[in-house]
Amino acid sequence: MLGRTAHGLFWMFRYLERAENTARLLDAGLRMSLTRDLVTAEEEWRSVIRTSGQREYYEASNQTYTGVQAWNYLLRDKNNPMSVRDMLEAVRTNARVARNAISGEVWEAVNESWMEIDETLKKPVSQGDLGDVLRMVRRAGTLVHGAMNDSMLRNAGFHFARAGMFVERTDSTARILDIKYYLLLPSLSYVGSSLDAGQWDTVLRSVSGDRAYRWLNAGTISARGIVEFLTLDDRFPRSLAFCQSALRDELRALARLHKVEGRSNELMREADMRLSDKTVEDVFEMGLHQFLVDTMNTNAAIAHAIAEDYRFHA
């Protein structure tokens, strides 16, 4: 497979995952802001912008953190180089680049979703319309993933797409947990104490993990339980452990198809060794922030190595 095509597939699904993650983050922020007074609601939207990694860009063109400013900035603002609209346009652009490597069903799902969302985001989004817009973005992801799983050969293209998805998902989960945990629990002395369950619920909703967590934990919300669930529980498809295992499988498949291992496989093995047999107590002893920063740095290094191994820019 040409490096240009592999690059297109890898980034097509990174951008798709990033757009879906932003929609989940906005949905969680909206739910929290509706239960807060004006000042606290603005703090929640400040947290949403910060978690998205766009605080610097946002503050360059906005002085306050009202909900309507925050969600329109993340969804459609022309001053935002990583708006959901721009990300979905990048999905479509990369799908064009990789058109010969994806099925007709995948292309239709991407193209039709893009046209619907682009038309919707031509005008500012009101609070009354926000829920429908976010569902539209999440539905686009569901349609594209479904089309890929049901119609694409399990060849190199499929594995590049999946690798991009899990690289992005790892970064998103680690970033959300790091920033939200820091804001909610700045001191480890609070571990196990009675905290604002509504705030912790936003952490779970930001990764679509609220129902799964409650089912596994009989509805009990605790900082320790959420950290363990999102870092080490390999049954949840957005946990760090699950994403790392899935990415490892995709890189192994690519190595088999290309009959050679690269630097990305080596880095993946090193990451596995660091996570192997780790407990949540080990994570807290190391320091959750440091653990998550290490995870994000390792994940970024693996993504860079994938690009180098398979000559994305050749």
Side-chain angles (χ1 to χ4, degrees), residues 26-78:
L26 283 169
D27 182 60
L30 177 63
R31 289 173 182 271
M32 277 304 302
S33 67
L34 291 176
T35 66
R36 297 295 193 258
D37 59 41
L38 183 61
V39 174
T40 310
E42 286 211 9
E43 285 305 308
E44 182 61 33
W45 288 115
R46 188 190 305 274
S47 172
V48 168
I49 295 293
R50 182 179 176 184
T51 304
S52 72
Q54 300 184 56
R55 182 176 179 179
E56 182 179 347
Y57 288 112
Y58 179 88
E59 292 183 347
S61 55
N62 295 277
Q63 303 301 314
T64 59
Y65 278 88
T66 64
V68 69
Q69 283 178 307
W71 68 64
N72 275 289
Y73 180 81
L74 290 178
L75 287 171
R76 60 178 298 278
D77 197 309
K78 292 181 179 179

Side-chain angles (χ1 to χ4, degrees), residues 146-164:
M148 179 180 74
N149 287 328
D150 289 347
S151 65
M152 279 184 63
L153 290 173
R154 269 43 175 178
N155 57 10
F158 179 86
H159 297 300
F160 280 121
R162 296 260 299 173

Side-chain angles (χ1 to χ4, degrees), residues 9 133 162 176:
L9 288 163
V133 173
R162 296 260 299 173
I176 287 170

Side-chain angles (χ1 to χ4, degrees), residues 246-284:
L247 180 57
R248 179 185 64 239
D249 291 344
E250 301 307 329
L251 294 182
R252 282 177 175 172
L254 287 169
R256 285 196 301 270
L257 287 170
H258 290 85
K259 295 181 171 43
V260 63
E261 287 196 346
R263 174 65 175 160
S264 57
N265 299 96
E266 180 183 343
L267 291 174
M268 196 76 247
R269 280 193 293 272
E270 293 174 4
D272 285 340
M273 290 178 63
R274 285 194 293 272
L275 195 62
S276 179
D277 299 322
K278 192 177 288 296
T279 66
V280 70
E281 285 76 19
D282 295 330
V283 171
F284 281 129

